[in-house]
């Protein structure tokens, strides 16, 4: 008789989700699903709002990556105004985008995932959190707190607030950068780089302890999608869409971002509020692809900054062709932090970074606008239509995490099949099922995680509803 | 709150959601305190939740006072209790409690300051930036409690 295991909530991720694992009567995993249990509705309630509100409104989608929404929304509104923003404005937007990448990746690595690496997947649950790390390795905890803080301080210096800064606006940015603030930012970057390199070294030494996880965590062939520069380099703000296959061959290249609908479509499933984007030419669900740090490092021909390029070259030696294991999202995240720090230094040293010319002004000149940027978790698409008064009439958001939905579901099944023994439920098995989701650092908004005592209730339920086994941790 | 640059002898943190009625008590109290406390060694700040980034400034202070609304007191009832660092926190990562934050501050090399939590029982969490009349009436007493703690 079939049985079902439910993990609810999934811990140490941003947002609310649950996992169900289906077993046959011999306790073998037959299927597994990642359910996203939140409904946000942003696409609907932005209708009727003036385009000037869109960046700030859309930033409220999330408290961890609001800057990503600011960028994509502002870019879409730039198209509605039909303006080319000043060069300084683009640099400043890039600067904030990279600062956000730094703080978000730092959160994902140090706070959400490092507890597993430090204590092991089977480590004592009461310690497997940032407080546990702080007690055993204060330097590691301090590094995580400090690196995230540096990213947030830069965001706050630019936009006035750490979270939901109302600064990126249609046509540019609302406030130029002063010389004083520029110098303060530059002064923080060496410390950030020291932390990032230390973390990368630590993680590379840990890799051998997680060979089995690297082999089995969503390690399957998929395509990868993201933005690249016109020269094929690592890109987070603008550029063109590129898709590569599992062997690393380019499948689509130099696709203008406003033609994203030529490449991808979205399906829905009854068990999740998150949509399932797929590559149209291969249909659903064969058109599975991944985005985010792993994808960006797989699709690019180089990073474009010296330390990141060196780290990237070593990373690409993990496999011939594309690096396929989703476990290596963690590795890719650290390389992206190094790139972000180098790139921020480059931008801050630009002669025009403190120019006061940072906004183009215009009325509505187009009725459709598409803004695409790379959020920490993947490609983010904001697509709006407006009327002649600049009032939004329609909006479509393709969220970064959504691109990975098919891959997350397949990854959960792969890990469950490998690690879960339905006859003997153990905490470590279920932590690994959660941990594969954490590789993607999904942003389902509103993280929940219990530090110290994580409430968890797992039930084995017969198809008729009878509870045959349960694990409880209060 | 610019966590990285705070270095104060006395740190006052009012926290909660200022868009949810009485959950904004900490923010309203902070505003009232800024009008009466004029000492460069005292830093008054607000945030939505207590986050790990606060561990460094907490670890540099001699006295930390947390101000928040609560549900476990009758509406308008004020409470003030010392808070200790709790090494094994029973709290949610997205909003560390005061004890966990103190523990984190100590672990990463800071000192363990004297710390207190001032709470006021909430009457309403409606979608508004205004406090209920019941809780608004208590803000002056919150201010006085803070002053007493600073001069103790």
């Amino acid at each position: 008789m079939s049985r079902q295991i439910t993990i609810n909530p999934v811990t140490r991720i941003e947002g609310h989700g649950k996992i169900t694992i289906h077993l046959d009567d011999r306790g073998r995993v037959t299927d597994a699903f990642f359910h996203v249990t939140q409904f946000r509705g942003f696409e609907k309630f932005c209708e009727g709002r003036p385009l000037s509100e869109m960046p700030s409104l859309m930033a409220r989608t999330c408290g961890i990556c609001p800057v990503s929404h600011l960028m994509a929304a502002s870019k879409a509104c730039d198209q509605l105004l039909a303006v080319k923003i000043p060069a300084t404005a683009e640099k400043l937007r890039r600067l904030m985008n990279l600062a956000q990448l730094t703080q978000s990746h730092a959160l994902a690595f140090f706070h959400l995932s490092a507890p597993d690496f430090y204590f092991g997947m089977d480590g004592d649950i009461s310690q497997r959190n940032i407080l546990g790390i702080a007690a055993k390795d204060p330097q590691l905890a301090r590094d995580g707190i400090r690196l995230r803080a540096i990213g947030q301080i830069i965001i706050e210096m630019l936009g006035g607030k750490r979270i939901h800064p109302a600064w990126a606006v249609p046509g540019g940015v609302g406030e130029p950068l002063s010389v004083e603030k520029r110098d303060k930012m530059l002064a923080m970057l060496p410390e950030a780089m020291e932390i990032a390199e230390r973390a990368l070294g630590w993680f590379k030494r840990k890799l051998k302890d997680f060979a089995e996880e690297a082999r089995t965590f969503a390690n399957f062939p998929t395509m990868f999608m993201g933005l690249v520069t016109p020269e094929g380099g690592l890109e987070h703000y603008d550029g063109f869409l590129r898709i590569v296959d599992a062997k690393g061959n380019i499948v689509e290249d130099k696709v203008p971002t406003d033609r994203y609908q030529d490449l991808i479509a979205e399906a829905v499933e009854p068990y999740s509020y998150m949509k399932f984007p797929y590559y149209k030419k291969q249909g659903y669900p064969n058109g599975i692809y991944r985005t985010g740090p792993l994808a960006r490092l797989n699709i690019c021909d180089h990073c474009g900054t010296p330390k990141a390029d060196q780290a990237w070259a070593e990373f690409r030696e993990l496999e011939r062709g594309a690096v396929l294991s989703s476990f290596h999202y963690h590795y890719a995240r650290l390389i992206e932090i190094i790139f972000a720090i180098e790139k921020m230094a480059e931008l801050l040293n630009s002669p025009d970074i403190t120019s006061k010319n940072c906004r183009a002004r215009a009325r509505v000149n187009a009725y459709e606008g598409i803004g695409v940027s790379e959020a920490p978790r993947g490609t983010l698409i904001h697509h709006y239509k407006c009327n002649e008064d600049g009032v939004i009439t329609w909006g479509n958001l393709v969220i970064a995490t959504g691109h990975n939905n098919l891959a997350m579901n397949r990854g959960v099944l792969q890990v469950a099949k490998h690690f879960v023994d339905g006859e003997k439920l153990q905490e470590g098995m279920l932590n690994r099922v959660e941990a594969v989701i954490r590789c993607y650092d999904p942003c389902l908004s509103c993280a929940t995680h219990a530090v110290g005592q994580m409430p968890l209730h797992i039930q084995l339920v017969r198809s008729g509803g009878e509870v045959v086994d349960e694990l409880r941790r209060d | 709150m610019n966590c990285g640059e705070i270095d104060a002898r006395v740190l006052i943190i009012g926290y909660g959601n200022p868009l949810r009625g009485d959950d904004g008590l900490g923010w309203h109290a902070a505003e009232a305190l800024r009008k009466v406390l004029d000492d460069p060694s005292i830093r008054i700040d607000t945030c939505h939740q207590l986050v790990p980034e606060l561990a460094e400034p907490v670890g540099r202070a001699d006295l930390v006072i947390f101000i928040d609304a609560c549900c476990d007191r009758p509406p308008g009832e004020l409470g003030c209790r010392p808070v200790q660092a709790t090494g094994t926190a029973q709290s949610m990562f997205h909003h560390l409690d005061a004890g966990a934050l103190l523990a984190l501050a100590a672990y990463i090399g800071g000192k363990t300051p004297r710390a207190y939590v001032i709470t006021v029982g909430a009457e309403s969490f409606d979608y508004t930036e205004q406090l209920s009349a019941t809780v608004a009436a208590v803000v002056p007493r919150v201010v006085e409690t803070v002053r007493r703690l600073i001069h103790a």
Side-chain angles (χ1 to χ4, degrees):
Chain A
M1 192 169 302
S2 65
R3 294 176 292 169
Q4 176 177 299
I5 303 172
T6 301
I7 302 173
N8 187 14
V10 180
T11 65
R12 277 184 276 137
I13 61 169
E14 306 305 321
H16 297 286
K18 74 175 186 180
I19 294 168
T20 55
I21 303 169
H22 299 258
L23 311 174
D24 65 17
D25 56 8
R26 282 187 280 178
R28 294 176 309 185
V29 175
T30 57
D31 216 341
F33 300 96
F34 176 54
H35 310 258
V36 177
T37 52
Q38 297 168 258
F39 176 71
R40 304 305 302 287
F42 274 77
E43 289 172 347
K44 201 62 193 167
F45 64 68
C46 73
E47 291 177 6
R49 307 310 307 169
L51 71 91
S52 58
E53 281 186 7
M54 290 304 285
S56 283
L57 183 59
M58 288 295 131
R60 264 71 183 176
T61 308
C62 183
I64 298 297
C65 50
V67 169
S68 302
H69 292 285
L70 267 184
M71 296 301 148
S74 298
K75 291 180 72 182
C77 291
D78 294 342
Q79 288 201 353
L80 295 176
L81 302 183
V83 295
K84 180 171 163 46
I85 70 172
T88 298
E90 179 176 322
K91 287 183 176 140
L92 288 173
R93 283 184 182 179
R94 284 180 179 274
L95 183 61
M96 184 181 270
N97 204 34
L98 291 166
Q100 186 205 223
L101 193 81
T102 301
Q103 68 87 14
S104 178
H105 281 359
L107 171 70
F109 181 79
F110 289 94
H111 295 231
L112 303 183
S113 300
D116 290 328
F117 309 142
Y118 194 90
F119 295 104
M121 297 283 174
D122 298 305
D124 181 357
I125 184 64
S126 67
Q127 288 192 304
R128 211 170 348 109
N129 51 66
I130 188 68
L131 275 185
I133 288 184
K136 296 281 191 202
D137 192 336
Q139 177 73 66
L140 183 60
R142 199 180 307 121
D143 278 354
I145 290 169
R146 188 65 189 144
L147 186 58
R148 184 163 190 233
I150 288 172
Q152 290 179 323
I153 289 167
I154 293 174
I155 293 170
E156 188 169 11
M157 281 189 180
L158 286 167
K161 288 164 69 171
R162 276 186 305 135
I163 301 172
H164 306 146
W167 172 82
V169 295
V173 300
E175 192 77 23
L177 177 64
S178 70
V179 169
E180 184 194 358
K181 285 183 178 176
R182 187 270 315 269
D183 292 344
K184 280 187 179 173
M185 291 179 194
L186 276 170
M188 288 191 288
L189 294 184
E191 181 190 1
M193 181 59 81
E194 207 179 296
I195 292 171
E197 289 185 308
R198 189 158 51 231
L200 181 59
W202 179 79
F203 183 72
K204 288 196 304 187
R205 291 190 296 277
K206 283 282 178 187
L207 270 177
K208 63 180 182 335
D209 299 331
F210 294 93
E212 192 179 8
E213 283 79 9
R215 193 171 58 80
T216 57
F217 272 29
N219 189 351
F220 42 69
T222 70
M223 288 173 286
F224 297 90
M225 186 184 83
L227 291 175
V228 291
T229 66
E231 300 79 24
L234 183 59
E235 172 63 81
H236 295 93
Y237 174 78
D238 207 14
F240 297 93
L241 288 167
R242 176 185 277 185
I243 296 178
V244 305
D245 66 17
K247 292 187 167 64
N249 301 314
I250 294 176
V251 172
E252 302 279 356
D253 201 17
K254 291 197 175 1
V255 179
T257 53
D258 55 6
R259 283 184 35 214
Y260 77 94
Q261 290 175 313
D262 292 348
L263 298 183
I264 61 174
E266 296 176 281
V268 293
E269 294 283 0
Y271 60 83
S272 178
Y273 280 123
M274 190 157 65
K275 290 183 275 189
F276 290 77
Y278 61 95
Y279 176 51
K280 281 165 78 166
K281 287 179 185 173
Q282 294 200 6
Y284 179 80
N286 293 335
I288 180 175
Y289 63 90
R290 287 177 268 183
T291 64
L294 182 69
R296 290 191 287 258
L297 296 195
N298 275 333
I299 67 171
C300 73
D301 302 326
H302 54 267
C303 292
T305 59
K307 289 180 190 261
D309 269 327
Q310 191 175 355
W312 172 80
E314 189 178 341
F315 169 82
R316 289 301 299 267
E317 286 174 0
L318 286 171
E319 294 188 47
R320 297 181 70 175
V323 175
L324 297 182
S325 173
S326 291
F327 186 82
H328 294 310
Y329 266 96
H330 300 300
Y331 193 162
R333 226 161 256 133
L334 293 172
I335 296 173
E336 283 207 318
I337 292 175
I338 288 173
F339 171 79
I341 296 166
E342 290 184 297
K343 206 69 186 169
M344 283 193 283
E346 197 178 292
L347 288 165
L348 288 167
N349 282 310
S350 307
D352 59 347
I353 196 67
T354 54
S355 166
K356 303 277 189 283
N357 180 20
C358 56
R359 186 171 183 178
R361 295 179 187 276
R363 295 183 186 278
V364 172
N365 288 300
Y367 303 135
E368 187 165 1
I370 297 171
V372 180
S373 68
E374 287 287 330
R377 293 148 183 92
T379 313
L380 176 62
I381 300 168
H382 281 223
H383 185 172
Y384 310 145
K385 294 180 184 170
C386 73
N387 63 20
E388 61 211 12
D389 296 319
V391 174
I392 300 296
T393 56
W394 176 88
N396 183 40
L397 310 182
V398 186
I399 301 299
T401 292
H403 297 285
N404 291 328
N405 202 0
L406 271 171
M408 284 193 287
N409 272 273
R410 197 174 291 185
V412 163
L413 178 58
Q414 185 182 51
V415 172
K417 279 187 169 177
H418 187 81
F419 287 103
V420 174
D421 177 346
E423 296 301 328
K424 309 190 295 282
L425 286 185
Q426 289 173 2
E427 160 68 28
M429 296 175 192
L430 300 177
N431 185 38
R432 284 177 175 81
V433 174
E434 290 183 303
V436 74
I437 296 291
R438 281 187 219 113
C439 291
Y440 296 90
D441 183 27
C443 189
L444 314 175
S445 81
C446 283
T448 53
H449 171 58
V451 175
Q453 278 197 345
M454 175 181 64
L456 187 62
H457 186 202
I458 314 296
Q459 287 183 319
L460 270 177
V461 181
R462 286 193 199 280
S463 57
E466 179 193 350
V467 175
V468 297
D469 195 6
E470 58 188 323
L471 270 179
R472 183 188 288 275
R473 186 171 54 236
D474 296 313
Chain B
M1 165 179 285
N2 195 333
C3 302
E5 298 190 334
I6 299 171
D7 196 354
R9 178 181 64 86
V10 176
L11 179 58
I12 301 168
I13 303 172
Y15 63 103
N17 187 343
L19 299 178
R20 297 299 299 271
D22 290 342
D23 203 36
L25 164 74
W27 292 65
H28 288 270
E31 194 179 324
L33 284 162
R34 284 190 190 105
K35 291 178 181 160
V36 299
L37 293 178
D38 183 20
D39 182 336
S41 71
I42 299 174
R43 170 81 182 220
I44 302 166
D45 264 309
T46 51
C47 55
H48 289 81
Q49 297 168 335
L50 300 180
V51 291
E53 290 76 51
L54 288 166
E56 285 190 321
V58 163
R60 288 194 287 263
D62 295 326
L63 169 65
V64 181
I65 302 172
F66 302 94
I67 306 172
D68 188 20
C70 68
C71 299
D72 56 359
R73 288 180 179 279
E77 181 176 290
L78 184 150
C80 177
R81 62 174 176 85
V83 62
Q84 309 294 328
T86 48
T88 52
Q90 298 184 26
S91 53
M92 306 297 284
F93 168 75
H94 208 232
H95 41 282
L96 287 172
D97 65 23
L101 186 55
L102 289 170
L104 189 57
Y107 284 142
I108 63 170
K111 48 189 174 185
T112 305
R114 271 192 312 134
Y116 297 87
V117 177
I118 299 174
T119 53
V120 176
E123 183 171 78
S124 167
F125 292 118
D126 279 348
Y127 290 101
T128 173
E129 292 180 288
Q130 306 303 317
L131 295 176
S132 64
T134 304
V135 171
V138 183
V139 171
R141 287 179 48 214
V142 171
V143 170
E144 276 318 300
T145 304
V146 169
R147 291 174 91 143
R148 221 175 32 247
L149 290 171
I150 289 173
H151 294 115

